[in-house]
Amino acid sequence: MAAAGPSVFLLMVNGQVESAQFPEYDELYCKYCFVYGQDWAPTAGLEEGISQITSKSQDVRRALVWNFPIDVTFKSTNPYGWPQIVLSVYGPDVFGNDVVRGYGAVHVPFSPGRHKRTIPMFVPESTSKLQKFTSWFMGRRPEYTDPKVVAQGEGREVTRVRSQGFVTLLFNVVTKDMRKLGYDTGPPDTQRASGPSPPQGLPQ
């Protein structure tokens, strides 16, 4: 009797929130979380995290370097709702209050291997000069109550935003059993990510 084929595929992601460019700001930290469809479920690792506070480097790049690790595994029956990572960057204002300095989101790369992504960040804007002054004076800048809205389209068209900064991510992506379920992601299935630090101990 033939063995039953797989009913789910696995998506294994590790890497890091590497660095950021925010020329106007310093002493920033980053939060991340994953947003995914109803057919997806995490099976290992962390869905969210918060980095250390970092200062700008002393070289000409003036980069904010976190090198904050990402490590999570998902299972699913279909690619609809492919995971996105949502980033929120925070730092102090002139009064010492933590305020948001940028939101951004990007899909986890679809093909196995090592990937680098630079995400443009943005912040919500007050709708009037009075509101802008009041929020600055009170230390209550406009921000989303749930950062996951960044990965969704509903209601975003009525939000006024301003571009501000970039965050660089490194992904090592491994898939398992996608080809057996009829999905072609490019190279043969279960591709180990290339580079100096590939995932270890993953199922073949």
Side-chain angles (χ1 to χ4, degrees):
M1 182 176 178
S7 59
V8 299
F9 63 83
L10 298 179
L11 172 66
M12 292 158 272
V13 184
N14 75 6
Q16 59 188 17
V17 183
E18 185 182 62
S19 62
Q21 293 284 347
F22 283 86
E24 298 178 19
Y25 304 111
D26 202 354
E27 304 290 328
L28 303 183
Y29 65 92
C30 178
K31 295 180 181 179
Y32 77 82
C33 63
F34 285 93
V35 177
Y36 44 85
Q38 294 182 348
D39 293 329
W40 291 77
T43 62
L46 297 175
E47 291 183 69
E48 56 186 31
I50 180 170
S51 77
Q52 74 279 14
I53 297 173
T54 189
S55 301
K56 287 180 180 176
S57 61
Q58 299 302 308
D59 58 17
V60 293
R61 296 182 307 147
R62 305 290 290 162
L64 294 145
V65 179
W66 290 301
N67 289 332
F68 188 65
I70 301 167
D71 191 358
V72 66
T73 300
F74 295 97
K75 68 177 181 180
S76 182
T77 55
N78 72 80
Y80 182 76
W82 193 272
Q84 298 181 66
I85 186 170
V86 175
L87 301 172
S88 310
V89 176
Y90 296 85
D93 63 7
V94 294
F95 302 111
N97 301 306
D98 272 2
V99 295
V100 67
R101 295 305 188 192
Y103 293 107
V106 68
H107 280 93
V108 171
F110 299 104
S111 58
R114 186 174 175 85
H115 306 268
K116 188 172 186 176
R117 297 286 186 269
T118 299
I119 307 172
M121 306 294 282
F122 65 89
V123 288
E125 283 272 74
S126 300
T127 55
S128 70
K129 290 183 178 179
L130 176 60
Q131 286 180 329
K132 191 171 185 178
F133 173 77
T134 303
S135 64
W136 173 83
F137 185 75
M138 301 295 291
R140 298 285 295 177
R141 306 294 177 90
E143 61 181 85
Y144 297 116
T145 55
D146 182 3
K148 292 183 177 180
V149 72
V150 174
Q152 302 161 359
E154 296 82 358
R156 286 280 306 281
E157 69 278 0
V158 298
T159 306
R160 179 181 294 180
V161 299
R162 172 169 51 87
S163 296
Q164 182 168 281
F166 297 87
V167 173
T168 300
L169 292 173
L170 291 178
F171 293 101
N172 296 307
V173 178
V174 178
T175 61
K176 184 175 188 294
D177 292 333
M178 288 196 73
R179 190 174 295 274
K180 291 179 181 177
L181 290 172
Y183 301 111
D184 184 5
T185 59
D189 206 6
T190 312
Q191 292 292 312
R192 286 194 181 277
S194 62
S197 55
Q200 299 295 320
L202 295 174
Q204 298 294 320

